[in-house]
Amino acid sequence: EPGAFDLLGDAGTAETAFHIYTSAVGALYEALPEKLTKNSMEKLYYEIELPLCRVLAEMEYAGVKADQMALISFGNMLQSRIEAAQQTIFSFAGREFNINSTKQLGEVLFDELCLPAGKKTKSGYSTNADVLELKGKHPIIEAILDYRAMTKLKSTYADGLVKQIADDGRIHTTFQNMVTATGRLSSTDPNLQNIPIRTELGSEIRRMFVPSDGCVFVDADYSQIELRVLAHIADDKTMQEAFRSGFDIHT
């Protein structure tokens, strides 16, 4: 229950917290099995979701090894490039200003450099989508986009991941199996599923995750899983045969 631990004050101990959690689980056990039966979800819960919890817990406990020094070095390199991009932006603008300020950036782009502006609101110009649309109209735009990309990489990944490395040199994320609407796993604190891959610089972040000695990383993915499930549920013989024969299902 929200706020339950606030009532404990200084008396709150790990043992007390454990009793609160077990009491909550006990209360839920009284109500939930009946709902599982009513919704025909017993097989799903007992044979899939519950065993999965142990697997995910073991994965979280194991964590993934991260090269801390490589991350720090990468962050330092990004900082140098951020500062260079910043000076380039100031050079094109003809003055220094706060690049992260929407108001100040809007004034530079649309009032001083007279670039075509989008809709202006009470707080000033929009500098998110509008900046992307201005790509190629002035060299300052490329510098701004580079600046934003590198500051994002540095704050979220280079610096952010370093802070998440535990004493064992590994990052222990939390896997959520009951959050996404589609039923797929999600990863939080940190999110290890959105590590960049589309840009060369962003994909460097992935090199910072390293296997333990004597181990390798395995990259596996389902092939057209939704269509395969469809072929099974619909019992479509043509689709099933296409998959069995290795034909291109889209063709």
Side-chain angles (χ1 to χ4, degrees), residues 35 50 175 215-216 220 239 244:
K35 289 190 175 183
L50 206 54
F175 292 107
C215 298
V216 295
M239 289 182 71
R244 290 193 182 101

Side-chain angles (χ1 to χ4, degrees), residues 153-171:
L153 283 174
K154 187 175 189 303
S155 63
T156 304
Y157 302 108
D159 296 344
L161 291 176
V162 166
K163 295 176 184 177
Q164 295 283 354
I165 299 177
D167 292 338
D168 60 359
R170 306 174 77 84
I171 293 176

Side-chain angles (χ1 to χ4, degrees), residues 148-218:
R148 286 180 171 177
M150 288 184 289
T151 51
K152 169 76 173 177
L153 283 174
K154 187 175 189 303
S155 63
T156 304
Y157 302 108
D159 296 344
L161 291 176
V162 166
K163 295 176 184 177
Q164 295 283 354
I165 299 177
D167 292 338
D168 60 359
R170 306 174 77 84
I171 293 176
H172 301 270
T173 187
T174 298
F175 292 107
Q176 308 282 359
N177 61 320
M178 300 295 290
V179 173
T180 64
T182 58
R184 70 185 299 167
L185 284 177
S186 63
S187 166
T188 58
D189 195 29
N191 183 350
L192 295 182
Q193 291 181 309
N194 68 344
I195 306 300
I197 191 63
R198 294 181 181 177
T199 64
E200 183 177 349
L201 198 59
S203 64
E204 283 295 313
I205 296 289
R206 298 198 171 207
R207 299 180 187 274
M208 310 302 169
F209 295 95
V210 292
S212 299
D213 294 340
C215 298
V216 295
F217 280 138
V218 176

Side-chain angles (χ1 to χ4, degrees), residues 101-171:
S101 166
T102 298
K103 183 175 183 295
Q104 293 185 35
L105 181 60
E107 290 171 353
V108 167
L109 295 179
F110 308 119
D111 290 337
E112 298 172 22
L113 295 179
C114 299
L115 293 173
K119 186 176 180 181
K120 188 176 183 180
T121 63
K122 291 181 179 179
S123 58
Y125 298 99
S126 168
T127 56
N128 290 326
D130 289 350
V131 166
L132 292 174
E133 292 175 6
L134 291 171
K135 194 172 182 180
K137 295 188 181 296
H138 193 287
I140 195 175
I141 302 302
E142 291 284 353
I144 291 171
L145 294 175
D146 285 345
Y147 173 86
R148 286 180 171 177
M150 288 184 289
T151 51
K152 169 76 173 177
L153 283 174
K154 187 175 189 303
S155 63
T156 304
Y157 302 108
D159 296 344
L161 291 176
V162 166
K163 295 176 184 177
Q164 295 283 354
I165 299 177
D167 292 338
D168 60 359
R170 306 174 77 84
I171 293 176

